[in-house]
Amino acid sequence: IIANSLKFHLNPTRDRGRTILSSQVRFMSSEGSSEGGTSGCVPCSGLTSSNILSSEQIQKEIKDTLWKFEEQNGIACICLSYTAKNFQAAMDSLNAVGVIAEREAHHPDLHLSNYREVEIVLWTHKLGGVTNNDIQLAKMLDSEIKILYSPKWLKENPLASESSISEEKK
């Protein structure tokens, strides 16, 4: 999924004399959940507190990625923060995350501030900690989504070059 290649088709319809615009999002590619050798999320109903990963396990799994281990409000989570080139690129990336999250039935917390600052927070809400589902979803997001980052941010975060798209690829 190329986050800055979402196609919005406005379909005007008439409702009692008013024109209503509805948007339909289409992605340039649709990949399966096994992309990049990752397995899908396990239904939360089958998880117990024994599935919560230790901070050492989490650190090992996210090593050499842009994901960071944090505690937010006393809950262990993994976070990805980046600056998109503009508001549209930020929204496109969040929409792409939403498609994958729905497909996997595992939903991150998504934050957009200052019109292009994005934060994705993963943790298994039912258990109050990070499980393999969160790690797998992070890997899927990394392998399946391409983002149009701020050039300055990209220069400061060279690890992001693998998930970056340039203006020419839009």
Side-chain angles (χ1 to χ4, degrees), residues 72-136:
Q72 293 185 358
N73 300 319
I75 298 171
C77 57
I78 56 175
C79 304
L80 174 65
S81 298
Y82 57 88
T83 303
K85 179 162 182 161
N86 53 41
F87 178 77
Q88 188 63 58
M91 289 303 300
D92 289 346
S93 69
L94 289 172
N95 285 326
V97 169
V99 168
I100 295 168
E102 275 298 299
R103 179 188 76 203
E104 297 301 321
H106 193 66
H107 304 96
D109 293 343
L110 304 174
H111 306 275
L112 175 62
S113 59
N114 295 323
Y115 82 90
R116 62 187 187 133
E117 302 290 333
V118 176
E119 181 183 42
I120 303 167
V121 182
L122 287 169
W123 57 288
T124 301
H125 294 77
K126 178 182 177 188
L127 299 178
V130 177
T131 66
N132 195 51
N133 281 356
D134 304 299
I135 301 299
Q136 293 307 312

Side-chain angles (χ1 to χ4, degrees), residues 141-155:
L141 298 177
D142 285 349
S143 67
E144 295 181 40
I145 298 175
K146 301 295 181 197
I147 300 167
L148 183 58
Y149 295 112
S150 155
K152 179 182 176 189
W153 185 89
L154 185 58
K155 186 177 181 179

